[in-house]
């Protein structure tokens, strides 16, 4: 009986093919949009997690300022760190594997006829160790170069491409504003960060060279700290805070004029933001499912009106009201399920395309796909019931008189 009902429903659907296509369009768009949004959102979250893991989940970043944008402890007025602070962290805190100074500026790099605006970073080999960023061509800085502040530099892959193309830059000399430096190394390509910035568009100088020749001071803007494997970053953070309060002569009751950022916290924050945005976009997309359901109800009401005589004949020859109701209900459900299947394929296709263009993982969630399909079927049940009920309640005599 049920298979016969389904067969009749499919026949009715294909009898008006164009109208059926337009009817399911809202379901297709709704399901496709929800699946695409959720899949891209989960891919973005995975990319954020992967980017943070590249830096290391055991990384802490020590910055001047109290972590706010205003007030007496803001980073704009807080005292910068020094190289002695870096050495003190390494020497006095047992949970720390290594620490590295970090300062940053922007400049135009020039080589022969090529020029490129890029990020200039002042640090040392400990930074490359802390963030696990290997030199794949040439070498890192020599101890003598770091201590003397010699004019040498290491290029990121994008900086190399902008100035040298695919050629070997080792041994060549580039100019950064008034500073001329020799290229001694090339870093492994990292790609775009979670914020879309190119991490490889960078030129790294020894910190003392950067301080003297680029900035004209001895400031360290940030300290990257790698916590030993197996040690708690929370414990290390407390020990660092105590040491820095002592070194910066912050008395009891005074607020810190520095703050520490944990990469795990940053990853959690970014993932949370991505999930919220994905949820909001998916909720907006789901509205089109409601619109699609209303479309199904309208078309089914039109179908009931058009087929009034057919319904009257069926009722007159002995069909039960429940059978008529089931026929129209199945018809609505089949329509919505067809829309759901097409929407799933379209949504996954759009998500795959977006993931490829955005260079993020393609991460479809089977539960979301299944949920979207079930929801589309429920739309058919809910919005198909009222037209089906109207058909089942028609009076056979009045239906046969209908012209």
């Amino acid at each position: 009986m049920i298979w016969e009902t389904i067969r009749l429903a499919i026949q009715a659907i294909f009898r008006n093919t164009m109208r059926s296509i337009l009817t399911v369009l809202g379901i297709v768009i709704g399901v496709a949009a929800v699946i695409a949004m959720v899949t891209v959102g989960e891919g973005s979250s995975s990319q954020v997690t992967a980017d943070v893991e590249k830096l290391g989940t055991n990384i802490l970043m020590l910055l001047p300022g109290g972590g706010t944008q205003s007030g007496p402890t803001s980073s704009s007025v807080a005292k910068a760190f020094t190289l002695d602070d870096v050495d003190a962290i390494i020497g006095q805190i047992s949970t720390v594997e290594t620490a590295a100074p970090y300062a940053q500026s922007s400049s135009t790099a020039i080589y022969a006829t090529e020029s490129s605006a890029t990020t200039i970073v002042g640090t040392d080999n400990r930074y490359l160790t802390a963030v696990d960023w290997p030199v794949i061509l040439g070498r890192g800085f020599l101890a003598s170069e770091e201590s003397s502040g010699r004019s040498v530099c290491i290029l990121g892959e994008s900086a190399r491409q902008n100035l040298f193309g695919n050629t070997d830059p080792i041994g060549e000399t580039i100019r950064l504003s008034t500073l001329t430096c020799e290229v001694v190394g090339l870093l492994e390509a990292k790609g775009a960060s979670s914020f879309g910035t190119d991490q490889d568009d960078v030129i790294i100088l020894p910190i003392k060279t950067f301080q003297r020749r680029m900035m004209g001071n001895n400031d360290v803007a940030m300290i990257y700290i790698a916590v030993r494997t197996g040690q708690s970053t929370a414990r290390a953070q407390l020990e660092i805070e105590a040491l820095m309060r002592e070194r910066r002569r912050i008395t009891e009751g005074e607020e810190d004029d520095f703050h520490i950022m944990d990469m795990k916290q940053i990853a959690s924050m970014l993932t949370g933001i991505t999930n919220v945005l994905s949820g909001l976009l998916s909720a907006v997309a789901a509205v089109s499912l409601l619109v699609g359901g209303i479309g199904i109800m309208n078309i089914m009401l039109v179908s009931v009106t058009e087929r009034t005589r057919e319904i009257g004949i069926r009722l007159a020859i002995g069909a039960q009201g429940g059978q008529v109701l089931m026929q129209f209900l199945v018809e609505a459900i089949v329509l919505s399920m067809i829309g759901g299947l097409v929407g799933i394929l379209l949504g996954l296709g759009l998500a795959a395309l977006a993931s490829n263009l955005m260079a993020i993982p393609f991460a479809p969630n089977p539960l979301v796909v299944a949920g979207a399909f079930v929801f589309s079927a429920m739309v058919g049940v809910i919005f198909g019931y009222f037209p089906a009920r109207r058909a089942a309640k028609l009076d056979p005599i009045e239906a046969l008189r209908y012209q």
Side-chain angles (χ1 to χ4, degrees), residues 330-353:
V330 168
E331 195 171 316
I333 294 172
V334 169
L335 273 174
S336 60
M337 289 178 69
I338 291 173
L341 288 171
V342 175
I344 288 170
L345 296 176
L346 180 61
L348 291 175
L350 291 173
L353 178 62

Side-chain angles (χ1 to χ4, degrees), residues 91 164 187 268 287 303 347 351 377:
F164 298 95
L187 294 166
S268 177
V287 172
S303 180

Side-chain angles (χ1 to χ4, degrees), residues 184-199:
V184 298
L186 175 67
L187 294 166
E188 181 180 68
K190 276 196 169 186
S193 70
S194 302
F195 300 101
T197 57
D198 187 355
Q199 299 178 90

Side-chain angles (χ1 to χ4, degrees), residues 8 309-320 323-324 327:
L8 291 173
R309 283 182 63 83
E310 174 193 331
I311 296 168
I313 292 171
R314 291 195 64 191
L315 291 171
I317 62 176
Q320 301 296 316
Q323 293 173 326
V324 174
Q327 178 186 348

Side-chain angles (χ1 to χ4, degrees), residues 200-257:
D200 299 316
D201 191 8
V202 63
I203 297 176
I204 297 179
L205 301 172
I207 183 65
K208 289 186 177 179
T209 306
F210 182 88
Q211 290 173 331
R212 296 170 187 171
R213 304 292 297 277
M214 297 292 294
M215 303 304 294
N217 58 43
N218 294 319
D219 293 347
V220 173
M222 185 192 307
I223 300 176
Y224 274 83
I225 302 165
V227 178
R228 292 185 186 278
T229 303
Q231 296 290 339
S232 167
T233 55
R235 176 187 169 189
Q237 183 170 337
L238 291 174
E239 293 176 347
I240 294 166
E241 288 173 349
L243 175 63
M244 295 312 298
R245 286 183 65 87
E246 179 184 340
R247 290 186 61 80
R248 295 166 81 86
R249 295 182 174 83
I250 300 174
T251 59
E252 187 175 351
E254 284 187 309
E255 292 185 3
D256 294 340
D257 63 353

Side-chain angles (χ1 to χ4, degrees), residues 12-299:
I13 289 170
F14 282 100
R15 192 182 305 151
N16 297 283
T17 306
M18 182 56 66
R19 188 170 71 183
S20 298
I21 291 173
L22 295 175
T23 301
V24 302
L25 193 58
I27 300 294
V28 170
I29 293 173
V31 171
V34 169
I35 290 177
M37 290 297 179
V38 172
T39 303
V40 170
E42 295 200 1
S44 300
S45 298
S46 299
Q47 185 64 47
V48 167
T49 303
D51 286 344
V52 172
E53 287 178 350
K54 286 180 184 177
L55 291 175
T57 53
N58 65 329
I59 296 294
L60 300 175
M61 292 181 290
L62 178 62
L63 300 97
T68 59
Q69 297 301 313
S70 60
T73 59
S74 67
S75 58
S76 60
V77 297
K79 182 173 63 175
F81 303 115
T82 66
L83 293 175
D84 289 338
D85 291 328
V86 179
D87 294 335
I89 291 172
I90 296 173
Q92 299 183 39
I93 301 180
S94 60
T95 53
V96 168
E97 178 70 32
T98 189
Y102 185 95
Q104 179 180 306
S105 182
S106 298
S107 183
T108 299
I110 300 173
Y111 173 74
T113 59
E114 301 296 331
S115 64
S116 175
T118 188
T119 300
I120 312 298
V121 169
T123 186
D124 55 34
N125 288 333
R126 293 174 295 190
Y127 169 73
L128 302 180
T129 301
V131 299
D132 191 23
W133 201 352
V135 175
I136 59 171
L137 188 64
R139 58 174 176 82
F141 301 130
L142 301 176
S144 58
E145 293 170 342
E146 291 181 343
S147 61
S148 65
R150 186 182 165 194
S151 298
V152 293
C153 61
I154 301 173
L155 303 184
E157 177 59 29
S158 296
R160 189 271 286 264
Q161 291 289 337
N162 293 336
L163 297 175
F164 298 95
N166 291 317
T167 61
D168 185 352
I170 306 303
E172 300 293 341
T173 299
I174 63 174
R175 183 157 56 88
L176 306 172
S177 186
T178 59
L179 171 66
T180 300
C181 63
E182 177 189 352
V183 179
V184 298
L186 175 67
L187 294 166
E188 181 180 68
K190 276 196 169 186
S193 70
S194 302
F195 300 101
T197 57
D198 187 355
Q199 299 178 90
D200 299 316
D201 191 8
V202 63
I203 297 176
I204 297 179
L205 301 172
I207 183 65
K208 289 186 177 179
T209 306
F210 182 88
Q211 290 173 331
R212 296 170 187 171
R213 304 292 297 277
M214 297 292 294
M215 303 304 294
N217 58 43
N218 294 319
D219 293 347
V220 173
M222 185 192 307
I223 300 176
Y224 274 83
I225 302 165
V227 178
R228 292 185 186 278
T229 303
Q231 296 290 339
S232 167
T233 55
R235 176 187 169 189
Q237 183 170 337
L238 291 174
E239 293 176 347
I240 294 166
E241 288 173 349
L243 175 63
M244 295 312 298
R245 286 183 65 87
E246 179 184 340
R247 290 186 61 80
R248 295 166 81 86
R249 295 182 174 83
I250 300 174
T251 59
E252 187 175 351
E254 284 187 309
E255 292 185 3
D256 294 340
D257 63 353
F258 62 89
H259 64 283
I260 299 174
M261 298 179 66
D262 189 335
M263 292 306 298
K264 291 179 182 177
Q265 295 173 345
I266 295 174
S268 177
M269 178 187 69
L270 292 176
T271 302
I273 292 172
T274 302
N275 290 338
V276 169
L277 291 176
S278 298
L280 289 174
L281 291 173
S282 299
V284 172
V287 172
S288 57
L289 280 174
L290 177 63
V291 175
I294 294 173
I296 286 178
M297 182 170 67
N298 288 336
I299 293 300

